[in-house]
């Protein structure tokens, strides 16, 4: 088996994950060869800055500043795209596909926004585009859903799919550190995106949720339909009140089959503290999936970093090499379902989504105020689960009041919040955080 000619691979991008991929391929060469049936060798890598010290031996690898050198090299069978971002990654990947190369990518933005186009091009050319590393770094979540859960009807999935956001919320909870300081540390540690707005405003999580939902439900990639809310408005007070009520705030991506439509949403969420998801801390990722046959399954691990992400890239390389000789029709479809069988199910508008809620408001501490607020809830048929009124601060006329509600459609909650904010006895805006129990 080892005598077969190695499969040649070209790397687009020689940053953290590119370096990790070279290291893992070299260190585990024998095991990888035994698994794939052929040795896998990186023979060329394209990097923007040729003089940058890489801290790893690059012997046997031609380094070029021109990506087309490897995309046009007839000896290279697989192109690994680790540039990130939409362009020039999209153009280069399409060019590699047109040249008959298989592609492995860690690029979540590319797949979430242009995946439909990329997969169609790949299908027409009979090549594979593998993207395990695009979602949750080292957790084999794409393979788990696409193959391991193929017997199930997926009911919902919910995940901590951005490590930076989870790190920030964890540090705020454990150490009482403020949002800005923790974000700067995440950037220094190197797991935040180049533009950290992508992490804290939920865009990175929305990219990943788009991909997970497509393979879970057999729908096209629809990034523009994901409701996206970040964590930049979460305060220390909300984290503390949630704890006092038995919950923890997590930034979740949630996709749910709601019968008449699919829900696609990323937002901060109160989760019961006893839930495993609530105990995923720091930079770690986890995805909880409910299948009708298997019940709930949980996938946990490192969602970023050189070798965890390289672990997914190399697994994809092994998959591609194993199928080099199979007919394109006999490969696992890119989006889990056969391309002609993808469904056009409606994505629910956010105001039609039903969740429970945590609400925090500031009201004058006098008789009748609570009655005014609860009347509004009653009028809109919103049922209250719990109320927490905090001690007044001396000299401060307003006290924080926290409500937990039962499940209600977002449009009813929007109407209630509008009416509560219009009350003279309530000052400022009402803070609203959705709550899910995953019971
Ligand atoms: N910025 C991402 C995160 C890296 O924090 O999860 C992996 O996609």
């Amino acid at each position: 088996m080892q005598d077969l000619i190695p499969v040649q691979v070209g790397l687009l991008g020689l940053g953290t994950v590119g370096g990790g991929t070279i290291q893992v391929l070299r260190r585990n060469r024998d095991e990888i060869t035994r698994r794939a049936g052929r040795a896998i060798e990186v023979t060329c890598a394209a990097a923007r800055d040729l003089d940058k010290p890489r801290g790893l031996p690059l012997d046997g690898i031609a380094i070029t500043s021109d990506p087309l050198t490897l995309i046009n090299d007839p000896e290279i069978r697989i192109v690994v795209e680790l540039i990130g971002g939409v362009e020039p990654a999209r153009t280069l990947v399409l060019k590699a596909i047109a040249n008959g190369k298989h592609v492995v990518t860690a690029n979540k933005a590319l797949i979430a926004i242009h995946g439909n186009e990329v997969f169609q091009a790949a299908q027409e050319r009979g090549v594979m585009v593998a993207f395990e590393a695009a979602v949750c770094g080292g957790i084999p979540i794409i393979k788990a859903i696409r193959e391991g859960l193929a017997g199930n009807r997926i009911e919902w999935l919910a995940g901590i799919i951005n490590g930076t956001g989870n790190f920030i919320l964890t540090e705020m909870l454990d150490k009482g550190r403020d949002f800005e300081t923790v974000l700067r540390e995440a950037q220094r540690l190197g797991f935040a995106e180049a533009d950290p707005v992508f992490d804290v405003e939920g865009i990175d999580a929305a990219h990943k949720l788009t991909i997970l939902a497509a393979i879970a439900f057999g729908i096209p990639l629809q990034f523009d339909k994901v409701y996206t809310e970040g964590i930049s408005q979460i305060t220390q007070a909300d984290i503390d009140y949630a704890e006092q009520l038995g919950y923890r705030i997590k930034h979740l991506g949630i996709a749910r089959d709601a019968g008449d439509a699919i829900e696609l949403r990323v937002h901060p969420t109160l989760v019961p503290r006893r839930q495993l998801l609530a105990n995923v801390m720091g930079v770690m990722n986890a995805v909880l999936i409910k299948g009708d046959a298997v019940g709930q399954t949980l996938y946990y691990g490192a969602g970023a970093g050189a070798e965890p992400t390289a672990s997914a890239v190399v697994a994809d390389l092994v998959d591609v090499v194993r199928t080099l000789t199979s007919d394109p029709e006999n490969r696992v479809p890119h989006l889990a379902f056969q391309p002609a069988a993808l469904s056009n199910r409606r994505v629910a508008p956010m105001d039609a989504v039903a969740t429970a809620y945590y609400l925090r408001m500031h009201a004058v501490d006098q008789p009748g105020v609570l009655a005014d607020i609860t009347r509004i809830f009653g009028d809109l048929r919103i049922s209250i689960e719990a109320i927490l009124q905090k001690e007044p601060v001396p000299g401060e006329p307003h006290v924080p009041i926290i409500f937990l509600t039962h499940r209600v459609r977002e449009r009813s909650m929007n109407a209630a919040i509008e009416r509560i904010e219009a009350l003279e006895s309530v000052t400022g805006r009402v803070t609203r955080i959705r709550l899910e129990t995953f019971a």
Side-chain angles (χ1 to χ4, degrees):
M1 192 192 312
Q2 269 81 342
D3 293 340
L4 287 171
I5 300 166
V7 177
Q8 295 194 23
V9 173
L11 288 191
L12 293 175
L14 199 45
T16 311
V17 179
T21 301
I22 291 171
Q23 300 270 35
V24 171
L25 279 173
R26 286 194 173 163
R27 190 174 67 238
N28 299 337
R29 183 186 163 95
D30 288 349
E31 299 249 307
I32 290 166
T33 307
R34 284 168 58 210
R35 288 187 174 113
R38 303 263 301 266
I40 300 173
E41 268 176 14
V42 175
T43 54
C44 188
R48 247 194 328 232
D49 179 0
L50 296 184
D51 299 325
K52 190 173 165 189
R54 309 277 164 193
L56 72 157
L58 294 171
D59 45 297
I61 303 177
I63 311 291
T64 171
S65 59
D66 180 8
L68 293 179
T69 307
L70 64 94
I71 287 176
N72 290 330
D73 182 341
E75 299 300 322
I76 288 179
R77 300 286 306 271
I78 310 171
V79 170
V80 179
E81 185 275 303
L82 302 171
I83 306 169
V86 170
E87 287 295 355
R90 173 181 159 276
T91 303
L92 294 173
V93 162
L94 289 173
K95 179 91 179 111
I97 292 170
N99 284 357
K101 317 258 180 242
H102 301 279
V103 172
V104 171
T105 178
N107 192 330
K108 54 230 157 165
L110 173 69
I111 298 299
I113 300 169
H114 294 289
N116 299 319
E117 175 194 19
V118 167
F119 295 143
Q120 192 180 338
Q123 207 197 329
E124 282 164 11
R125 196 65 179 76
V127 296
M128 287 177 75
V129 175
F131 52 97
E132 183 66 73
V135 184
C136 296
I139 308 176
I141 190 69
I142 303 292
K143 203 167 194 64
I145 300 175
R146 201 161 56 179
E147 297 173 48
L149 299 179
N152 286 260
R153 189 176 65 76
I154 307 290
E155 296 177 7
W156 51 262
L157 61 86
I160 295 170
I161 51 182
N162 179 268
T164 303
N166 202 44
F167 175 76
I168 292 173
L169 291 174
T170 303
E171 290 287 300
M172 287 174 78
L173 171 71
D174 286 351
K175 304 187 185 143
R177 298 172 71 196
D178 70 83
F179 180 86
E180 292 296 338
T181 314
V182 188
L183 174 59
R184 276 197 298 277
E185 186 174 344
Q187 286 176 284
R188 189 178 59 74
L189 292 170
F191 44 80
E193 294 298 301
D195 180 355
V197 167
F198 274 50
D199 293 305
V200 297
E201 296 306 346
I203 301 158
D204 177 76
H207 287 149
K208 296 167 184 166
L209 185 76
T210 302
I211 300 170
L212 291 178
I215 60 170
F217 302 125
I219 56 175
L221 296 145
Q222 301 170 80
F223 170 69
D224 54 339
K225 301 217 177 109
V226 181
Y227 172 83
T228 306
E229 193 181 301
I231 56 166
S232 54
Q233 304 304 314
I234 299 294
T235 65
Q236 194 64 52
D238 293 317
I239 289 175
D240 292 344
Y241 294 148
E243 284 287 314
Q244 288 170 36
L245 289 159
Y247 293 85
R248 200 154 277 162
I249 300 177
K250 289 291 177 191
H251 196 204
L252 298 187
I254 299 173
R256 186 191 301 271
D257 181 346
D260 58 338
I262 301 285
E263 295 174 10
L264 298 176
R265 47 194 171 100
V266 171
H267 51 70
T269 313
L270 265 75
V271 180
R273 262 199 340 237
R274 63 176 185 284
Q275 239 293 345
L276 282 170
L277 269 187
N279 295 285
V280 172
M281 297 306 209
V283 72
M284 301 307 278
N285 283 195
V287 183
L288 182 63
I289 305 179
K290 173 80 192 306
D292 68 335
V294 71
Q296 293 190 12
T297 51
L298 179 69
Y299 308 83
Y300 168 90
E307 291 216 359
T309 311
S311 164
V313 169
V314 174
D316 274 349
L317 284 170
V318 171
D319 255 2
V320 172
V321 171
R322 280 175 178 150
T323 60
L324 280 178
T325 51
S326 70
D327 294 337
E329 298 74 37
N330 295 332
R331 296 177 186 145
V332 179
H334 291 113
L335 290 179
F337 292 69
Q338 297 299 332
L342 292 184
S343 89
N344 277 326
R345 294 191 58 197
R346 197 169 61 86
V347 175
M350 196 57 195
D351 70 356
V353 168
T355 67
Y357 284 87
Y358 159 102
L359 303 174
R360 174 169 58 85
M361 59 199 75
H362 289 85
V364 180
D365 192 16
Q366 66 188 29
V369 169
L370 211 49
D372 289 342
I373 298 169
T374 53
R375 193 171 308 114
I376 293 173
F377 287 141
D379 289 351
L380 288 158
R381 311 205 59 73
I382 296 172
S383 172
I384 298 166
E385 156 101 18
I387 304 179
L388 181 67
Q389 180 173 334
K390 303 308 291 181
E391 293 292 310
V393 177
E396 166 59 61
H398 296 98
V399 287
I401 307 176
I402 293 95
F403 290 90
L404 297 187
T405 75
H406 290 289
R407 283 169 74 80
V408 55
R409 284 210 194 274
E410 182 118 347
R411 73 170 69 91
S412 300
M413 184 51 78
N414 290 343
I417 290 174
E418 198 180 321
R419 282 175 62 182
I420 292 169
E421 286 178 345
L423 290 173
E424 267 185 25
S425 51
V426 171
T427 183
R429 306 297 305 268
V430 173
T431 296
R432 142 239 311 259
I433 307 177
R434 298 168 189 87
L435 184 156
E436 296 278 1
T437 59
F438 304 115

